[in-house]
Amino acid sequence: MCGIVGYVGGRDAVALILDGLRRLEYRGYDSAGVAVVSGGSLQRRRAAGKLERLAASLADEPLDGDWGIGHTRWATHGQPTEENAHPHQDCTGRIVVVHNGIIENHLELKARLAAAGHRFVTQTDTEVLAHLIESEYEGSLEQAAARALPMVRGVYALVLLHRDEPQTLVAARMGPPLVVGLSDGERFVASDVPALLHHTRDFLFLEDGDVATVRPDRVEVRTLAGATVTRSPQHVAWDAVQAEKGGYRHFMLKEIHEQPRSVRDTLAGRFSLEDGEVLLEELGPAAAGLLEASRIVLLACGTSWHAALVGKFLIEELAGLPAEVDYGSEFRYRTPLVGPGTVVVAISQSGETADTLAAFREAKSRGALPVAICNVRGSMLTREAEGSLLTHAGPEIGVASTKAFTAQLVALALLALHLGRLRGRLSPEKCRAHLSELTRIPHLMEQALHREDAIESLAGSLTRATDYLYLGRGVNYPIALEGALKLKEISYAHAEGYPAGEMKHGPIALVDDTLPVVALCPDGGVYEKMLSNVQEVKARGGRVIAVASSEGGELGALLQGSDDMILTVPSCAELWSPFLTVLPLQMLAYHVALRAGRDVDQPRNLAKSVTVE
Ligand code: G6P
């Protein structure tokens, strides 16, 4: 949801800011802009559309500056036009601001400021910030921000500059993330760590209510009330290469292929095969609370919500604990029955999804034990959790989540096994057997990924399909949902995921020879049931694409039609089959989208981190 970059130092600010924005484009890409200062002159350039439009305009008519700010936008208020693109400025043209978030009382503030003579030229909520700061300005941008921001309701990560305060940025946070990158004689501000990994791995993570004054040689952080606070620098383990495409055509494809590695890394060091135990000391104080859990509530959005559905299955099966799954966006708009004895597990790649965070806080305030499964150390979610289980997927840049999903499945599998041992539901021997199956998974994933050619040619035969039905049962029902979501997100084809047993209660009416039906039929307890569903589709002339452990058997005999296809994945314990069945679905979505000429890494209307409600 919008990417922010700021720079103070002596180098070419435009190039540095553009480079940072390019690495943040996954956060929003409908318009972009920069404002830089050189020799006391402030210049601004903005463009509608992707960042490359702004870059082209800057290449045609370069701007000079050795400090400044930039923004890539995901529109909330006002169309993605050049006029509405950030940075926004005040009436004097001396103050500019970039912002990520929503100012909820912007209409009220705008009316007040307009009555006082301020001229508004955009439809954005952000513009009020520039005028509000202007109205409070008495020679210090930092003090103006500290006076203005308490009047603002809503969420924001913002960076301001004033033309006449050289080499100074003021950054403030209330909600969306903001980090300060520390380098020799220069400082950066950004929405996210990957934007700056080429320059530094040392960061200050701003917290809610912080106002930071950033200069090339120092950063001062104060609260809105003016009290000095210390934010200690943290060294991050991610390196710049992880946030590059590494020879792949798209980030999504690279991330699909990184999954065996990320699953291995997320498993590493967290169990003892010898003892048949899962070791989750990192849960810290939350570890003790797990013992008293009578129920688990899993909260998430999007792909992470599908991981939560798999988690429910695993926790109930392996630990015998009731588990419920809720959308972050739904949970807090009813009266959730959570309290002491409930462990609330929020699952989020970014750790900054507004709906997940809000639901998490609600559960926490009702006395539930808050635990996070998250891919970003130091994110809002991990900071608010009593204990966190980090996934080690590395930076995920493609908007459609892939490697973060399978890493979340690992964390959930470990949590379920751990709970199973704690509650005496699993003996060490049983736990060991599950763990040793789990350790085979990365290798099996590698094998599954080698079958990409078949999927590429299948995608070639689907160019006319506009609707798809995905069916799965048991632990693979969430994978049907995830397969359909992947396809929708990046190819814009309509796809619906359904529990296969429910097909007869409605979706079966959709079946004809134009509707590809993707059926998840790996070996396991529900294989026969899936066969019946496949038969039902075939009986109505439907076209079936099955994901199965082998091409033979009854399924092979059933699917002999020239249009049908079986995509095989290696056989494994049914509980862990989602790790494998999801792979052909990710690749299918990728290749269908590619054929359709879609922008795989930056699908229309979406953003990677949704930091607004
Ligand atoms: C957005 C992304 C999805 C992601 C969801 C939840 O919608 O496009 O890929 O699954 O947010 O994000 P989170 O960071 O909380 O996992």
mmCIF file of all heavy atoms in Angstrom, residues 1 26 29 299-306 347-357 373-376 381 396 398-402 404-405 408 482 485-486 489 603 606-611, ligand 1:
data_model
loop_
_atom_site.group_PDB
_atom_site.id
_atom_site.type_symbol
_atom_site.label_atom_id
_atom_site.label_comp_id
_atom_site.label_asym_id
_atom_site.label_seq_id
_atom_site.Cartn_x
_atom_site.Cartn_y
_atom_site.Cartn_z
ATOM 1 N N MET A 1 0.829 -1.200 0.000
ATOM 2 C CA MET A 1 0.000 0.000 0.000
ATOM 3 C C MET A 1 0.856 1.239 0.000
ATOM 4 O O MET A 1 1.111 1.804 1.049
ATOM 5 C CB MET A 1 -0.687 0.016 1.324
ATOM 6 C CG MET A 1 -2.065 -0.178 1.606
ATOM 7 S SD MET A 1 -3.445 -0.521 0.729
ATOM 8 C CE MET A 1 -3.163 -1.739 -0.394
ATOM 9 N N TYR A 26 6.131 -3.179 -5.484
ATOM 10 C CA TYR A 26 5.132 -4.183 -5.131
ATOM 11 C C TYR A 26 4.103 -3.636 -4.144
ATOM 12 O O TYR A 26 3.050 -4.213 -3.944
ATOM 13 C CB TYR A 26 5.807 -5.445 -4.566
ATOM 14 C CG TYR A 26 6.541 -5.225 -3.265
ATOM 15 C CD1 TYR A 26 5.866 -5.297 -2.059
ATOM 16 C CD2 TYR A 26 7.894 -4.936 -3.256
ATOM 17 C CE1 TYR A 26 6.529 -5.081 -0.869
ATOM 18 C CE2 TYR A 26 8.566 -4.716 -2.071
ATOM 19 C CZ TYR A 26 7.874 -4.790 -0.878
ATOM 20 O OH TYR A 26 8.529 -4.569 0.296
ATOM 21 N N TYR A 29 1.491 0.708 -7.476
ATOM 22 C CA TYR A 29 2.153 1.054 -8.735
ATOM 23 C C TYR A 29 1.212 1.760 -9.691
ATOM 24 O O TYR A 29 1.232 1.536 -10.879
ATOM 25 C CB TYR A 29 2.762 -0.202 -9.392
ATOM 26 C CG TYR A 29 1.978 -1.496 -9.167
ATOM 27 C CD1 TYR A 29 0.880 -1.815 -9.954
ATOM 28 C CD2 TYR A 29 2.351 -2.395 -8.163
ATOM 29 C CE1 TYR A 29 0.173 -2.988 -9.751
ATOM 30 C CE2 TYR A 29 1.636 -3.563 -7.940
ATOM 31 C CZ TYR A 29 0.553 -3.859 -8.741
ATOM 32 O OH TYR A 29 -0.148 -5.018 -8.538
ATOM 33 N N LEU A 299 -6.030 -16.121 12.656
ATOM 34 C CA LEU A 299 -6.493 -14.905 11.973
ATOM 35 C C LEU A 299 -5.560 -14.574 10.821
ATOM 36 O O LEU A 299 -4.336 -14.627 10.984
ATOM 37 C CB LEU A 299 -6.465 -13.721 12.936
ATOM 38 C CG LEU A 299 -7.369 -13.779 14.158
ATOM 39 C CD1 LEU A 299 -7.092 -12.587 15.059
ATOM 40 C CD2 LEU A 299 -8.834 -13.803 13.724
ATOM 41 N N ALA A 300 -6.120 -14.217 9.682
ATOM 42 C CA ALA A 300 -5.270 -13.879 8.542
ATOM 43 C C ALA A 300 -6.120 -13.298 7.421
ATOM 44 O O ALA A 300 -7.352 -13.226 7.529
ATOM 45 C CB ALA A 300 -4.538 -15.123 8.040
ATOM 46 N N CYS A 301 -5.473 -12.899 6.340
ATOM 47 C CA CYS A 301 -6.153 -12.413 5.129
ATOM 48 C C CYS A 301 -5.483 -13.062 3.914
ATOM 49 O O CYS A 301 -4.306 -13.435 3.972
ATOM 50 C CB CYS A 301 -5.960 -10.906 4.957
ATOM 51 S SG CYS A 301 -6.581 -9.937 6.324
ATOM 52 N N GLY A 302 -6.210 -13.125 2.831
ATOM 53 C CA GLY A 302 -5.666 -13.554 1.535
ATOM 54 C C GLY A 302 -5.065 -14.942 1.584
ATOM 55 O O GLY A 302 -5.621 -15.886 2.164
ATOM 56 N N THR A 303 -3.888 -15.064 0.988
ATOM 57 C CA THR A 303 -3.208 -16.355 0.941
ATOM 58 C C THR A 303 -2.901 -16.869 2.347
ATOM 59 O O THR A 303 -2.988 -18.072 2.615
ATOM 60 C CB THR A 303 -1.923 -16.205 0.095
ATOM 61 O OG1 THR A 303 -2.332 -16.073 -1.268
ATOM 62 C CG2 THR A 303 -0.992 -17.379 0.237
ATOM 63 N N SER A 304 -2.565 -15.967 3.238
ATOM 64 C CA SER A 304 -2.265 -16.385 4.616
ATOM 65 C C SER A 304 -3.498 -17.009 5.265
ATOM 66 O O SER A 304 -3.386 -17.885 6.128
ATOM 67 C CB SER A 304 -1.789 -15.184 5.448
ATOM 68 O OG SER A 304 -0.643 -14.634 4.856
ATOM 69 N N TRP A 305 -4.677 -16.569 4.833
ATOM 70 C CA TRP A 305 -5.918 -17.146 5.365
ATOM 71 C C TRP A 305 -6.049 -18.601 4.901
ATOM 72 O O TRP A 305 -6.527 -19.458 5.623
ATOM 73 C CB TRP A 305 -7.105 -16.292 4.890
ATOM 74 C CG TRP A 305 -8.414 -16.672 5.479
ATOM 75 C CD1 TRP A 305 -8.877 -16.354 6.720
ATOM 76 C CD2 TRP A 305 -9.447 -17.447 4.857
ATOM 77 N NE1 TRP A 305 -10.136 -16.883 6.902
ATOM 78 C CE2 TRP A 305 -10.513 -17.550 5.770
ATOM 79 C CE3 TRP A 305 -9.579 -18.057 3.606
ATOM 80 C CZ2 TRP A 305 -11.685 -18.240 5.491
ATOM 81 C CZ3 TRP A 305 -10.744 -18.738 3.321
ATOM 82 C CH2 TRP A 305 -11.783 -18.837 4.258
ATOM 83 N N HIS A 306 -5.589 -18.861 3.691
ATOM 84 C CA HIS A 306 -5.625 -20.258 3.216
ATOM 85 C C HIS A 306 -4.648 -21.113 4.020
ATOM 86 O O HIS A 306 -4.934 -22.277 4.328
ATOM 87 C CB HIS A 306 -5.300 -20.323 1.720
ATOM 88 C CG HIS A 306 -6.326 -19.616 0.887
ATOM 89 N ND1 HIS A 306 -6.051 -19.046 -0.331
ATOM 90 C CD2 HIS A 306 -7.639 -19.385 1.115
ATOM 91 C CE1 HIS A 306 -7.155 -18.502 -0.811
ATOM 92 N NE2 HIS A 306 -8.134 -18.688 0.052
ATOM 93 N N ILE A 347 -1.494 -14.894 11.206
ATOM 94 C CA ILE A 347 -0.556 -15.346 10.178
ATOM 95 C C ILE A 347 -0.461 -14.255 9.117
ATOM 96 O O ILE A 347 -1.483 -13.844 8.561
ATOM 97 C CB ILE A 347 -1.054 -16.654 9.522
ATOM 98 C CG1 ILE A 347 -1.335 -17.698 10.603
ATOM 99 C CG2 ILE A 347 -0.033 -17.187 8.522
ATOM 100 C CD1 ILE A 347 -2.074 -18.915 10.081
ATOM 101 N N SER A 348 0.744 -13.798 8.863
ATOM 102 C CA SER A 348 0.897 -12.716 7.886
ATOM 103 C C SER A 348 2.319 -12.723 7.335
ATOM 104 O O SER A 348 3.276 -12.764 8.096
ATOM 105 C CB SER A 348 0.612 -11.377 8.572
ATOM 106 O OG SER A 348 0.923 -10.305 7.732
ATOM 107 N N GLN A 349 2.424 -12.684 6.030
ATOM 108 C CA GLN A 349 3.745 -12.577 5.423
ATOM 109 C C GLN A 349 4.403 -11.292 5.883
ATOM 110 O O GLN A 349 5.504 -11.286 6.392
ATOM 111 C CB GLN A 349 3.598 -12.603 3.890
ATOM 112 C CG GLN A 349 4.889 -12.643 3.099
ATOM 113 C CD GLN A 349 5.631 -11.327 3.008
ATOM 114 O OE1 GLN A 349 6.832 -11.274 3.316
ATOM 115 N NE2 GLN A 349 4.974 -10.260 2.644
ATOM 116 N N SER A 350 3.699 -10.173 5.688
ATOM 117 C CA SER A 350 4.298 -8.854 5.912
ATOM 118 C C SER A 350 4.317 -8.443 7.377
ATOM 119 O O SER A 350 5.159 -7.644 7.787
ATOM 120 C CB SER A 350 3.489 -7.812 5.143
ATOM 121 O OG SER A 350 2.143 -7.825 5.610
ATOM 122 N N GLY A 351 3.335 -8.926 8.136
ATOM 123 C CA GLY A 351 3.199 -8.466 9.518
ATOM 124 C C GLY A 351 2.649 -7.065 9.602
ATOM 125 O O GLY A 351 2.733 -6.420 10.649
ATOM 126 N N GLU A 352 2.076 -6.567 8.519
ATOM 127 C CA GLU A 352 1.552 -5.201 8.549
ATOM 128 C C GLU A 352 0.164 -5.081 7.954
ATOM 129 O O GLU A 352 -0.339 -3.969 7.749
ATOM 130 C CB GLU A 352 2.521 -4.245 7.848
ATOM 131 C CG GLU A 352 2.795 -4.600 6.414
ATOM 132 C CD GLU A 352 3.703 -3.587 5.723
ATOM 133 O OE1 GLU A 352 3.173 -2.603 5.212
ATOM 134 O OE2 GLU A 352 4.918 -3.790 5.707
ATOM 135 N N THR A 353 -0.500 -6.188 7.637
ATOM 136 C CA THR A 353 -1.841 -6.125 7.063
ATOM 137 C C THR A 353 -2.807 -5.533 8.094
ATOM 138 O O THR A 353 -2.964 -6.086 9.189
ATOM 139 C CB THR A 353 -2.286 -7.537 6.639
ATOM 140 O OG1 THR A 353 -1.332 -8.012 5.699
ATOM 141 C CG2 THR A 353 -3.661 -7.532 6.011
ATOM 142 N N ALA A 354 -3.430 -4.430 7.728
ATOM 143 C CA ALA A 354 -4.218 -3.669 8.708
ATOM 144 C C ALA A 354 -5.332 -4.519 9.326
ATOM 145 O O ALA A 354 -5.548 -4.476 10.538
ATOM 146 C CB ALA A 354 -4.808 -2.430 8.042
ATOM 147 N N ASP A 355 -6.038 -5.290 8.503
ATOM 148 C CA ASP A 355 -7.163 -6.070 9.028
ATOM 149 C C ASP A 355 -6.684 -7.149 10.012
ATOM 150 O O ASP A 355 -7.317 -7.390 11.038
ATOM 151 C CB ASP A 355 -7.929 -6.731 7.878
ATOM 152 C CG ASP A 355 -8.743 -5.710 7.096
ATOM 153 O OD1 ASP A 355 -9.239 -4.758 7.705
ATOM 154 O OD2 ASP A 355 -8.876 -5.878 5.866
ATOM 155 N N THR A 356 -5.591 -7.801 9.668
ATOM 156 C CA THR A 356 -5.073 -8.850 10.555
ATOM 157 C C THR A 356 -4.624 -8.235 11.878
ATOM 158 O O THR A 356 -4.911 -8.754 12.960
ATOM 159 C CB THR A 356 -3.905 -9.593 9.876
ATOM 160 O OG1 THR A 356 -4.368 -10.081 8.622
ATOM 161 C CG2 THR A 356 -3.396 -10.747 10.715
ATOM 162 N N LEU A 357 -3.931 -7.093 11.769
ATOM 163 C CA LEU A 357 -3.440 -6.440 12.989
ATOM 164 C C LEU A 357 -4.591 -5.999 13.882
ATOM 165 O O LEU A 357 -4.552 -6.183 15.110
ATOM 166 C CB LEU A 357 -2.614 -5.209 12.608
ATOM 167 C CG LEU A 357 -1.176 -5.477 12.186
ATOM 168 C CD1 LEU A 357 -0.555 -4.205 11.622
ATOM 169 C CD2 LEU A 357 -0.355 -5.958 13.382
ATOM 170 N N ILE A 373 2.705 -15.723 13.331
ATOM 171 C CA ILE A 373 3.517 -16.439 12.344
ATOM 172 C C ILE A 373 3.767 -15.421 11.248
ATOM 173 O O ILE A 373 2.825 -14.928 10.621
ATOM 174 C CB ILE A 373 2.778 -17.685 11.813
ATOM 175 C CG1 ILE A 373 2.667 -18.732 12.932
ATOM 176 C CG2 ILE A 373 3.501 -18.269 10.585
ATOM 177 C CD1 ILE A 373 1.960 -20.012 12.535
ATOM 178 N N CYS A 374 5.018 -15.068 11.052
ATOM 179 C CA CYS A 374 5.286 -13.893 10.222
ATOM 180 C C CYS A 374 6.638 -14.024 9.515
ATOM 181 O O CYS A 374 7.548 -14.674 10.015
ATOM 182 C CB CYS A 374 5.288 -12.664 11.130
ATOM 183 S SG CYS A 374 5.372 -11.124 10.231
ATOM 184 N N ASN A 375 6.740 -13.359 8.368
ATOM 185 C CA ASN A 375 7.979 -13.442 7.584
ATOM 186 C C ASN A 375 8.910 -12.257 7.810
ATOM 187 O O ASN A 375 10.001 -12.230 7.274
ATOM 188 C CB ASN A 375 7.616 -13.551 6.090
ATOM 189 C CG ASN A 375 8.753 -14.078 5.255
ATOM 190 O OD1 ASN A 375 9.476 -14.978 5.692
ATOM 191 N ND2 ASN A 375 8.953 -13.524 4.087
ATOM 192 N N VAL A 376 8.436 -11.262 8.553
ATOM 193 C CA VAL A 376 9.251 -10.053 8.700
ATOM 194 C C VAL A 376 9.558 -9.794 10.168
ATOM 195 O O VAL A 376 8.681 -9.392 10.950
ATOM 196 C CB VAL A 376 8.542 -8.835 8.058
ATOM 197 C CG1 VAL A 376 9.405 -7.581 8.193
ATOM 198 C CG2 VAL A 376 8.241 -9.109 6.586
ATOM 199 N N LEU A 381 3.341 -6.811 13.614
ATOM 200 C CA LEU A 381 2.715 -8.015 14.179
ATOM 201 C C LEU A 381 3.641 -8.705 15.176
ATOM 202 O O LEU A 381 3.226 -9.072 16.278
ATOM 203 C CB LEU A 381 2.332 -8.975 13.038
ATOM 204 C CG LEU A 381 1.578 -10.217 13.463
ATOM 205 C CD1 LEU A 381 0.206 -9.861 14.024
ATOM 206 C CD2 LEU A 381 1.399 -11.182 12.284
ATOM 207 N N GLU A 396 9.727 -11.513 0.012
ATOM 208 C CA GLU A 396 8.825 -11.937 -1.067
ATOM 209 C C GLU A 396 8.358 -10.669 -1.778
ATOM 210 O O GLU A 396 7.762 -9.788 -1.171
ATOM 211 C CB GLU A 396 7.626 -12.709 -0.496
ATOM 212 C CG GLU A 396 6.829 -13.395 -1.595
ATOM 213 C CD GLU A 396 5.625 -14.157 -1.052
ATOM 214 O OE1 GLU A 396 4.740 -13.519 -0.436
ATOM 215 O OE2 GLU A 396 5.555 -15.379 -1.238
ATOM 216 N N GLY A 398 6.992 -10.673 -5.359
ATOM 217 C CA GLY A 398 5.824 -10.893 -6.221
ATOM 218 C C GLY A 398 4.559 -10.633 -5.411
ATOM 219 O O GLY A 398 4.470 -11.060 -4.253
ATOM 220 N N VAL A 399 3.613 -9.930 -6.011
ATOM 221 C CA VAL A 399 2.400 -9.602 -5.256
ATOM 222 C C VAL A 399 1.639 -10.875 -4.884
ATOM 223 O O VAL A 399 1.092 -10.990 -3.784
ATOM 224 C CB VAL A 399 1.527 -8.613 -6.060
ATOM 225 C CG1 VAL A 399 0.121 -8.511 -5.480
ATOM 226 C CG2 VAL A 399 2.183 -7.241 -6.037
ATOM 227 N N ALA A 400 1.610 -11.842 -5.794
ATOM 228 C CA ALA A 400 0.937 -13.110 -5.485
ATOM 229 C C ALA A 400 1.873 -13.947 -4.615
ATOM 230 O O ALA A 400 2.975 -14.307 -5.030
ATOM 231 C CB ALA A 400 0.596 -13.843 -6.771
ATOM 232 N N SER A 401 1.419 -14.249 -3.430
ATOM 233 C CA SER A 401 2.287 -14.930 -2.456
ATOM 234 C C SER A 401 2.473 -16.413 -2.809
ATOM 235 O O SER A 401 1.515 -17.102 -3.142
ATOM 236 C CB SER A 401 1.639 -14.797 -1.075
ATOM 237 O OG SER A 401 2.431 -15.423 -0.108
ATOM 238 N N THR A 402 3.699 -16.891 -2.745
ATOM 239 C CA THR A 402 3.973 -18.307 -3.024
ATOM 240 C C THR A 402 4.849 -18.901 -1.920
ATOM 241 O O THR A 402 4.385 -19.697 -1.106
ATOM 242 C CB THR A 402 4.664 -18.474 -4.393
ATOM 243 O OG1 THR A 402 5.809 -17.609 -4.442
ATOM 244 C CG2 THR A 402 3.707 -18.161 -5.535
ATOM 245 N N ALA A 404 6.024 -17.586 0.720
ATOM 246 C CA ALA A 404 5.616 -17.260 2.093
ATOM 247 C C ALA A 404 4.539 -18.237 2.546
ATOM 248 O O ALA A 404 4.487 -18.634 3.713
ATOM 249 C CB ALA A 404 5.106 -15.826 2.179
ATOM 250 N N PHE A 405 3.683 -18.644 1.598
ATOM 251 C CA PHE A 405 2.588 -19.568 1.932
ATOM 252 C C PHE A 405 3.135 -20.911 2.412
ATOM 253 O O PHE A 405 2.760 -21.401 3.483
ATOM 254 C CB PHE A 405 1.703 -19.752 0.697
ATOM 255 C CG PHE A 405 0.617 -20.784 0.864
ATOM 256 C CD1 PHE A 405 -0.483 -20.527 1.653
ATOM 257 C CD2 PHE A 405 0.692 -22.008 0.211
ATOM 258 C CE1 PHE A 405 -1.491 -21.478 1.812
ATOM 259 C CE2 PHE A 405 -0.304 -22.961 0.355
ATOM 260 C CZ PHE A 405 -1.402 -22.693 1.165
ATOM 261 N N GLN A 408 4.653 -20.676 5.705
ATOM 262 C CA GLN A 408 3.640 -20.591 6.772
ATOM 263 C C GLN A 408 3.123 -21.990 7.118
ATOM 264 O O GLN A 408 2.873 -22.309 8.282
ATOM 265 C CB GLN A 408 2.459 -19.727 6.312
ATOM 266 C CG GLN A 408 2.792 -18.237 6.255
ATOM 267 C CD GLN A 408 1.761 -17.422 5.482
ATOM 268 O OE1 GLN A 408 0.909 -17.974 4.788
ATOM 269 N NE2 GLN A 408 1.842 -16.116 5.594
ATOM 270 N N GLU A 482 -6.628 -21.716 -2.702
ATOM 271 C CA GLU A 482 -5.389 -20.993 -2.997
ATOM 272 C C GLU A 482 -5.074 -21.042 -4.499
ATOM 273 O O GLU A 482 -4.660 -20.038 -5.086
ATOM 274 C CB GLU A 482 -4.233 -21.578 -2.158
ATOM 275 C CG GLU A 482 -2.856 -21.022 -2.425
ATOM 276 C CD GLU A 482 -2.722 -19.513 -2.213
ATOM 277 O OE1 GLU A 482 -3.642 -18.881 -1.694
ATOM 278 O OE2 GLU A 482 -1.678 -18.977 -2.611
ATOM 279 N N LEU A 485 -7.324 -18.598 -6.146
ATOM 280 C CA LEU A 485 -6.911 -17.214 -5.856
ATOM 281 C C LEU A 485 -5.700 -16.823 -6.693
ATOM 282 O O LEU A 485 -5.646 -15.729 -7.268
ATOM 283 C CB LEU A 485 -6.600 -17.062 -4.360
ATOM 284 C CG LEU A 485 -6.097 -15.677 -3.927
ATOM 285 C CD1 LEU A 485 -7.168 -14.610 -4.124
ATOM 286 C CD2 LEU A 485 -5.645 -15.676 -2.471
ATOM 287 N N LYS A 486 -4.713 -17.737 -6.780
ATOM 288 C CA LYS A 486 -3.507 -17.420 -7.566
ATOM 289 C C LYS A 486 -3.893 -17.074 -9.002
ATOM 290 O O LYS A 486 -3.413 -16.121 -9.580
ATOM 291 C CB LYS A 486 -2.524 -18.597 -7.607
ATOM 292 C CG LYS A 486 -1.701 -18.853 -6.383
ATOM 293 C CD LYS A 486 -0.605 -17.852 -6.122
ATOM 294 C CE LYS A 486 -1.052 -16.685 -5.318
ATOM 295 N NZ LYS A 486 -1.275 -16.753 -3.943
ATOM 296 N N GLU A 489 -5.779 -13.674 -9.214
ATOM 297 C CA GLU A 489 -4.916 -12.530 -8.930
ATOM 298 C C GLU A 489 -4.088 -12.122 -10.131
ATOM 299 O O GLU A 489 -3.949 -10.940 -10.415
ATOM 300 C CB GLU A 489 -3.922 -12.878 -7.803
ATOM 301 C CG GLU A 489 -4.470 -12.813 -6.411
ATOM 302 C CD GLU A 489 -3.401 -13.179 -5.390
ATOM 303 O OE1 GLU A 489 -2.767 -14.252 -5.515
ATOM 304 O OE2 GLU A 489 -3.200 -12.402 -4.462
ATOM 305 N N PRO A 603 0.084 -7.368 -10.613
ATOM 306 C CA PRO A 603 -1.266 -7.439 -11.177
ATOM 307 C C PRO A 603 -2.082 -6.181 -10.855
ATOM 308 O O PRO A 603 -1.852 -5.538 -9.827
ATOM 309 C CB PRO A 603 -1.864 -8.678 -10.511
ATOM 310 C CG PRO A 603 -0.976 -9.026 -9.384
ATOM 311 C CD PRO A 603 0.359 -8.421 -9.633
ATOM 312 N N LEU A 606 -4.038 -4.613 -7.294
ATOM 313 C CA LEU A 606 -3.594 -5.256 -6.047
ATOM 314 C C LEU A 606 -2.371 -4.557 -5.465
ATOM 315 O O LEU A 606 -1.714 -3.784 -6.133
ATOM 316 C CB LEU A 606 -3.242 -6.724 -6.313
ATOM 317 C CG LEU A 606 -4.366 -7.621 -6.800
ATOM 318 C CD1 LEU A 606 -3.847 -9.021 -7.047
ATOM 319 C CD2 LEU A 606 -5.490 -7.655 -5.775
ATOM 320 N N ALA A 607 -2.093 -4.867 -4.226
ATOM 321 C CA ALA A 607 -0.837 -4.432 -3.605
ATOM 322 C C ALA A 607 -0.393 -5.549 -2.679
ATOM 323 O O ALA A 607 -1.204 -6.343 -2.220
ATOM 324 C CB ALA A 607 -1.048 -3.159 -2.810
ATOM 325 N N LYS A 608 0.881 -5.598 -2.450
ATOM 326 C CA LYS A 608 1.399 -6.710 -1.653
ATOM 327 C C LYS A 608 1.026 -6.590 -0.181
ATOM 328 O O LYS A 608 0.678 -7.569 0.452
ATOM 329 C CB LYS A 608 2.916 -6.777 -1.809
ATOM 330 C CG LYS A 608 3.531 -7.890 -1.014
ATOM 331 C CD LYS A 608 4.346 -8.812 -1.860
ATOM 332 C CE LYS A 608 4.665 -10.096 -1.168
ATOM 333 N NZ LYS A 608 3.698 -11.151 -1.450
ATOM 334 N N SER A 609 1.185 -5.382 0.350
ATOM 335 C CA SER A 609 0.866 -5.214 1.769
ATOM 336 C C SER A 609 -0.303 -4.265 1.868
ATOM 337 O O SER A 609 -0.209 -3.128 1.409
ATOM 338 C CB SER A 609 2.038 -4.596 2.512
ATOM 339 O OG SER A 609 3.167 -5.362 2.296
ATOM 340 N N VAL A 610 -1.376 -4.739 2.448
ATOM 341 C CA VAL A 610 -2.577 -3.905 2.489
ATOM 342 C C VAL A 610 -2.672 -3.283 3.876
ATOM 343 O O VAL A 610 -3.188 -3.881 4.812
ATOM 344 C CB VAL A 610 -3.825 -4.719 2.113
ATOM 345 C CG1 VAL A 610 -5.044 -3.828 2.069
ATOM 346 C CG2 VAL A 610 -3.614 -5.365 0.750
ATOM 347 N N THR A 611 -2.147 -2.062 3.963
ATOM 348 C CA THR A 611 -2.040 -1.426 5.274
ATOM 349 C C THR A 611 -3.218 -0.505 5.571
ATOM 350 O O THR A 611 -3.151 0.311 6.475
ATOM 351 C CB THR A 611 -0.709 -0.647 5.390
ATOM 352 O OG1 THR A 611 -0.628 0.246 4.281
ATOM 353 C CG2 THR A 611 0.473 -1.572 5.365
HETATM 354 C C1 G6P B 1 -2.506 -8.926 -0.057
HETATM 355 C C2 G6P B 1 -1.566 -9.709 -0.940
HETATM 356 C C3 G6P B 1 -1.762 -11.213 -0.717
HETATM 357 C C4 G6P B 1 -1.601 -11.553 0.756
HETATM 358 C C5 G6P B 1 -2.538 -10.717 1.628
HETATM 359 C C6 G6P B 1 -2.230 -10.887 3.101
HETATM 360 O O1 G6P B 1 -3.802 -9.100 -0.488
HETATM 361 O O2 G6P B 1 -1.781 -9.390 -2.302
HETATM 362 O O3 G6P B 1 -0.793 -11.920 -1.465
HETATM 363 O O4 G6P B 1 -1.860 -12.901 0.946
HETATM 364 O O5 G6P B 1 -2.376 -9.331 1.325
HETATM 365 O O6 G6P B 1 -0.951 -10.385 3.357
HETATM 366 P P1 G6P B 1 -0.055 -10.778 4.593
HETATM 367 O O7 G6P B 1 1.190 -9.962 4.443
HETATM 368 O O8 G6P B 1 -0.838 -10.411 5.810
HETATM 369 O O9 G6P B 1 0.204 -12.238 4.527
#
